């Protein structure tokens, strides 16, 4: 009887672990080599389907005049359908002089930042409200753990910086902290109480994030 009870307990634990409700979020595994969008015949696919060239032109066309925040070009499954089911995506980020990528999170993936050009100050805050700061230069890498608030700043006032953000999901998602807090329609009074501020200051922040 004791042995049977142990087996039942093990079976219950396995059932809970394998249940999608309790499993870690992530891209689902696929049971074929790759996925194709509905309506596209797999037999007609060529090497071009697996090629993404938009980053070639992004930097050349980027206008940094008057910019204070980073310009971002994404290669997710939306822009690059071949990534569907492959659990990977990339963003190219161009930071104007003294420009920032404001605090944000990626709910479905960690981010590996690879600096290609310039100098960046980067940081993230863990669940114990501890800030981890680092200064990076070209060829340095930094990992932002999944779901944690993070940011990047170009500390150079006279030159741009360029980086790649690599994600372990075909659609990592981005939640901008300023936009989600002040631009999502949360009542001003609630925000004023939460930030120990007054309605006028909060209203100005709401207007700035519309």
């Amino acid at each position: 009887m004791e042995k049977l009870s142990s087996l039942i307990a093990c079976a219950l634990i396995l059932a809970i672990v394998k249940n999608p409700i309790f499993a870690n979020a992530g891209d689902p595994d696929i049971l074929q080599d790759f996925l194709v969008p509905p309506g596209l015949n797999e037999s007609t696919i060529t090497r071009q389907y697996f090629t993404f060239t938009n980053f070639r032109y992004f930097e050349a066309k980027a206008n940094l005049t008057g910019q204070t925040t980073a310009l971002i070009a994404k290669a997710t499954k939306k822009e690059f359908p071949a990534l569907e089911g492959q659990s990977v995506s990339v963003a190219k980020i161009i930071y104007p002089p003294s420009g920032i990528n404001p605090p944000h999170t990626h709910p479905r993936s960690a981010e590996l930042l690879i600096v290609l050009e310039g100098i960046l100050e980067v940081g993230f805050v863990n669940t114990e409200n501890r800030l981890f700061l680092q200064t990076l230069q070209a060829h340095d890498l930094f990992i932002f753990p999944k779901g944690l608030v993070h940011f990047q700043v170009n500390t150079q006032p006279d030159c741009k910086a360029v980086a790649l953000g690599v994600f372990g999901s075909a659609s990592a998602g981005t939640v901008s902290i300023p936009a989600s807090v002040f631009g999502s329609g949360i009542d001003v009074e609630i925000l004023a109480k939460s930030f120990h501020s007054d309605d006028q200051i909060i209203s100005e922040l709401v207007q700035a994030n519309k």
Side-chain angles (χ1 to χ4, degrees), residues 22 25 27 52-53 61 63 73 82 93 103 126 132 138 146-147 155 172-173 175 178 186:
F22 298 95
D27 290 2
F52 184 82
T53 61
K61 294 180 178 180
N63 182 6
I93 312 164
N126 71 0
F132 294 82
K146 178 180 176 180
T155 58
V175 179
I186 299 175

Side-chain angles (χ1 to χ4, degrees), residues 30-31 38 46 66-67 104 112 143-144 146 181 183 199-200 202:
I30 61 175
L31 301 177
T46 69
Q67 284 285 334
H104 61 282
L112 180 64
I143 186 74
F144 299 113
K146 178 180 176 180
V181 173
D199 289 1
Q200 181 179 347
I202 296 298

Side-chain angles (χ1 to χ4, degrees), residues 2-44:
E2 184 178 345
K3 184 176 182 181
L4 179 60
S5 299
S6 298
L7 288 173
I8 293 173
C10 289
L12 286 172
I13 291 170
L14 286 172
I16 291 172
V17 170
K18 290 179 177 293
N19 191 310
I21 295 175
F22 298 95
N24 289 330
D27 290 2
D29 288 335
I30 61 175
L31 301 177
Q32 56 200 79
D33 293 338
F34 53 86
L35 301 178
V36 296
L40 183 63
N41 190 335
E42 185 174 329
S43 65
T44 65

Side-chain angles (χ1 to χ4, degrees), residues 25-26 103-112 123-130 143-151 166-169 171-177 180:
H104 61 282
T105 70
H106 302 292
R108 294 184 287 276
S109 176
E111 176 182 1
L112 180 64
F124 71 86
V125 181
N126 71 0
T127 55
E128 297 177 349
N129 213 34
R130 181 181 174 190
I143 186 74
F144 299 113
K146 178 180 176 180
L148 296 186
V149 175
H150 59 281
F151 62 90
V166 182
F167 305 91
S169 169
S171 180
T174 300
V175 179
S176 167
I177 302 305
S180 63

